[in-house]
Amino acid sequence: MAATAEQLQALARIEKSPGYWQTVGRRLMRDPVAVGAGIIILILLSLAIFAPWIAPHDPYHGRMLGRLSPIGTPGHPLGTDELGRDMLSRLIYGGRLSLFMGITPVFIAFFVGSAIGVAAGYIGGTFNSIVMRTLDVLFAFPSVLLAIALSGALGAGIVNGLIALTVVFIPPIARIAESVTTSVRKLEYVEAARASGANAFTVVRVHVLGNVLGPIFVYATSLISVSMILAAGLSFLGLGVRPPEPEWGLMLNTLRNAIYVQPWLAALPGVMIFLTSISFNLLSDGLRSAMDIKT
Amino acid sequence: MLIYTARRILYTLPIMLGVALVCFALVHISPGDPLVSVLPPDASEELRLRMMQIYGFDRSYVEQFLIWLGRALQGDLGNSIATGRPVAAEVWGAVGNTLMLAVVATIIGFTLGCLFGFVAGYFRDTWIDKLASFISVIGVSVPHYWLGMVLVIIFSVQLNWLPATGAGPGGSSAWVWDWEHVRHLILPAVTMSVIPMGIVARTVRALVADILSQEFVSGLRAKGLLDRGVLAHVIKNAAPTALAVMGLQLGYLLGGSILIETVFSWPGTGFLLGQAIFQRDLPLLQGTILVLALFFVVLNLLVDVVQTALDPRVQRS
Amino acid sequence: MTASPILQVDGLVKHFPIKGGLFGKRQVVRAVDGVTFDVAAGETLGIVGESGCGKSTTARLLVQLIEPDTGQITFNGKLLGRDLSLRELRRHVQMVFQDSYASLNPRLTMEDAIAFGPQVHGVPEGKARQLARDLLDRVGLDPQRFAGRYPHELSGGQRQRVNIARALAFEPEVIVLDEAVSALDKSVEAQVLNLLVDLRQERKLTYVFISHDLNVVRFISDRVMVMYLGEVAEIGPVEDIYERPGHPYTQALLAAMPSMDPDQRTEKVPLSGDPPNPINPPSGCRFHTRCAHAFARCGQVAPPPIELNPGHRAACHLLREEPKAA
């Protein structure tokens, strides 16, 4: 035991430099725009999670007499929608599906796309060509068109919308993952790791992933903004989420006919989509410049 | 250059085939009986089988694909289930309107984007840069369909300056160059222009900042060369990439116009797609998407070839 | 040969395919084209040649970072692929690269980087870390200061010491040093070279030392192999090569060396131009296009290696035409 204690003591004396992610975190915290965007995202997320405790009214319950009451109506600070449901409550509840539909596809695509891209980049050769040429086919569709085509063919519904969006985001993430992995793979430390006799999985886990996941992750966060707009857009078209669920894109759709009656009320759900999308964009930009550490 | 172009075209062919395959598959990933919208609900089994035969649904997928591909190559995309009219004619009628909208939007977006991007890159890290960059972030973050609604609210509902929907007076769907039609074009085109604006601005800012930070530019400035010389140099170096981005954006707008066309009831391909989705008119859906995707592929090809011709540095082995 | 060979390389060939033309006419770069040599246990074999001569490819072939098209590698009498697995070979034969920064993972601390290898070969983590700290100490870096550092915080010389420690962590018998000191400042280079010499003696190591710097190679090597366009031009004991070079190419290389003695410096450039393209190497003797002594036969027939002294061989027709003068 004495030896262990001695070793522990020696360990404690070792000067430790801050790791890469620690440095990135510290730099990010010094960026006021990114911090602001992050706080807004946290607020939006907590509103969605704690909606039942925060929302003043039941988002599904409408009163036919109180339809389309203006912003500032007593009891309904943001007015009511075309079925007399409280807008504030629906906007708060709407975050649940909207954020879920916007973030989940990118999240899944991050894992699937990274796996495909890293494998293609690391293995290289014919396997790489086959994978990347297949992805090129999906790249031949503009993302909006592909999302609408897939969910249009699959039919409306939350799951179908998620599938469509995930398929849209896998190719760009895989392509980034492939190019980063290909460049990292050529570096000598990966060669050195291979020369250590470690198997491919160990080399990828210890030496490749740590250096490629960062850039892929930043790229993926920048896609969340696009995904939010697209997901709400699908619901806006009547694909994706179906009534009477509260969801920002769908709310925008159903309120579209009300623009001559309560124009600014009708535009409210879009403000939420915009706010979410721009916050993710600014956070992603901040993260990108925080990770751009010159050594 | 010729070899590069030829190789690039050869490389595009399998992608086109893949695109066709995806479009073909769209019909088959769609749940339910594809005949459900043509057949009366009480159709007999015999009638169902005959219709299956007529539409070719009784053959193997490979056969169906080859037959469909063969027809598509001859310009026959089948008939719309809802209207019975040939899909090719429907799509062709709508493509012109979408192209009109997308081209005008690209020109507006490119001009504004270049302006913002250039100013931001030239005055890098000043408040002007911050402001211009913020505008471009708004451009890429705004849900454009919502922006369309807001513009309608301001300019149609509140100010009553411009029409809210349609491509011309009285539901006219054919484009004519007159003031009435141009008035209808303004709102959707401005809305749509925001998408390329943000991206062009970001690209141009990065390009300009990069070129200005290069040593030979500092050298030019140090030698006392007037800013005009530097400016010309920057434009010459940034132009190929900026043009390439513009070309790609035009392609995205062609395929991505569906949401904006829906907001403004613009009688283009996006509107057609919306119809196809709601009436579950799969041949129409398939045909429209095939045409739009092929447009996109060809545009990509053109952009690549033109960019390579303008800027030999781009050419890769 | 003084001792039994620890490493035997026989007929190593590596051609890299390259693309070209519309349909990608297949051409090859003959990077390594039939290289045969032995390395005796405990000796240092220097490999010299101009850039593009196949030195680095040979190094990568030795640790099988790239697979040879043909050729055999035998370690301690065991044929790789038959008696010896790749994993075993890699434990016994380690490599140090030229670029000290690129050869360290930027996300790993020095301790993690060194401990990775032993862990791969089954050493438990705690022991591997202890080993890593001992090795840092051995290569002259205070473990308390350096174990927790990242590559960008170290100087080039310090990083190369870490790379040496990382190779040592496998307890290898052979270390392939590919231009390992070439990127360092002269004073740092000398310190690292001295470290290598000490370690060689202390741990009974065998080095394959690749460099374009003839002075450094002369300092550290027991034997030297000269490569030209993927082939062995000459191989022999270091004094033979430097004092009595047999091959005109070796003579030219040595003449091009900046001499320490100003009186010895010549204005004449002994070797001009770049080596020919390894895609289409010259016929016959590959050096004949740049050789001052070339005659008709040189362009037609590739010269076989000729033994000049025991262990000293050179591939040149001149040596056959005029038998040993001595």
Side-chain angles (χ1 to χ4, degrees), chain A residues 133 136-137 139-141 145 148-149 152-154 229 232-233 237 256 259-260 263-264 267 270-271 273-274 277-278 281 285, chain B residues 11 18-19 26 30-31 138 140-143 145-146 152-153 158 164 202 255 258-259 262-263 277-278 280 289 293 296-297:
Chain A
R133 294 298 83 78
D136 278 352
V137 171
F139 255 109
F141 294 87
L145 185 67
I148 289 168
L154 289 169
I229 295 176
L237 283 177
R256 202 147 61 93
I259 57 169
Y260 292 96
W264 297 114
V271 176
I273 306 172
F274 184 28
S277 156
I278 199 167
N281 245 334
D285 281 358
Chain B
Y11 172 75
V19 165
L26 280 178
S30 124
I138 289 180
V140 291
S141 309
V142 71
Y145 40 93
W146 172 74
V152 166
I153 289 171
Q158 309 273 27
R202 280 186 166 201
I258 173 166
L259 286 155
T262 306
V263 171
I277 288 168
F278 288 105
R280 294 211 63 69
I289 288 170
F296 189 60
V297 173

Side-chain angles (χ1 to χ4, degrees), chain A:
Chain A
M1 285 315 280
T4 343
E6 212 169 89
Q7 272 177 13
L8 274 176
Q9 221 177 10
L11 209 85
R13 273 186 282 123
I14 282 178
E15 294 171 30
K16 184 99 172 112
S17 296
Y20 174 73
W21 289 105
Q22 259 173 292
T23 316
V24 170
R26 206 178 302 152
R27 284 167 58 109
L28 193 64
M29 292 310 278
R30 267 189 255 133
D31 179 351
V33 178
V35 171
I39 291 174
I40 292 177
I41 291 170
L42 281 182
I43 292 174
L44 288 168
L45 281 174
S46 9
L47 281 178
I49 293 167
F50 302 112
W53 293 278
I54 296 168
H57 295 276
D58 178 352
Y60 298 96
H61 180 74
R63 287 182 310 115
M64 290 320 259
L65 285 176
R67 283 189 290 176
L68 291 174
S69 19
I71 296 172
T73 305
H76 299 290
L78 293 180
T80 57
D81 73 356
E82 77 288 354
L83 295 175
R85 298 171 291 198
D86 180 52
M87 273 301 277
L88 178 61
S89 306
R90 282 184 73 76
L91 287 176
I92 292 172
Y93 267 94
R96 298 187 138 192
L97 274 175
S98 297
L99 288 166
F100 177 74
M101 294 280 292
I103 297 171
T104 316
V106 178
F107 189 75
I108 302 173
F110 172 68
F111 286 102
V112 180
S114 299
I116 295 174
V118 170
Y122 191 77
I123 297 168
T126 319
F127 178 74
N128 179 307
S129 304
I130 292 172
V131 171
M132 297 323 284
R133 294 298 83 78
T134 310
L135 290 178
D136 278 352
V137 171
L138 290 179
F139 255 109
F141 294 87
S143 50
V144 183
L145 185 67
L146 186 59
I148 289 168
L150 287 173
S151 56
L154 289 169
I158 294 175
V159 176
N160 287 345
L162 287 179
I163 294 174
L165 289 170
T166 307
V167 172
V168 167
F169 291 120
I170 288 175
I173 291 179
R175 186 179 270 192
I176 295 287
E178 189 266 346
S179 82
V180 184
T181 308
T182 304
S183 61
V184 165
R185 188 201 136 83
K186 286 185 195 132
L187 294 177
E188 285 179 343
Y189 66 82
V190 177
E191 287 209 310
R194 291 203 295 136
S196 73
N199 62 39
F201 279 109
T202 314
V203 175
V204 168
R205 184 172 56 78
V206 179
H207 294 280
V208 177
L209 284 187
N211 290 286
V212 301
L213 284 185
I216 305 173
F217 180 73
V218 172
Y219 180 70
T221 57
S222 77
L223 288 178
I224 293 181
S225 155
V226 182
S227 179
M228 283 298 305
I229 295 176
L230 264 184
L234 286 183
S235 300
F236 179 72
L237 283 177
L239 297 163
V241 178
R242 276 177 286 204
E245 297 300 327
E247 196 273 347
W248 298 333
L250 183 62
M251 289 165 72
L252 211 53
N253 180 22
T254 54
L255 283 166
R256 202 147 61 93
N257 298 319
I259 57 169
Y260 292 96
V261 189
Q262 291 293 347
W264 297 114
L265 180 91
L268 278 177
V271 176
M272 301 302 288
I273 306 172
F274 184 28
L275 193 65
T276 318
S277 156
I278 199 167
S279 302
F280 272 112
N281 245 334
L282 291 172
L283 183 66
S284 165
D285 281 358
L287 196 59
R288 188 193 310 269
S289 49
M291 282 176 58
D292 188 19
I293 300 172
K294 291 178 190 78
T295 46

Side-chain angles (χ1 to χ4, degrees), chain B residues 33-54:
Chain B
D33 188 340
L35 290 176
V36 82
S37 46
V38 244
L39 287 172
D42 56 344
S44 66
E45 185 62 12
E46 195 191 345
L47 181 65
R48 225 184 68 81
L49 286 177
R50 267 198 50 206
M51 290 300 275
M52 291 261 292
Q53 244 173 352
I54 290 170

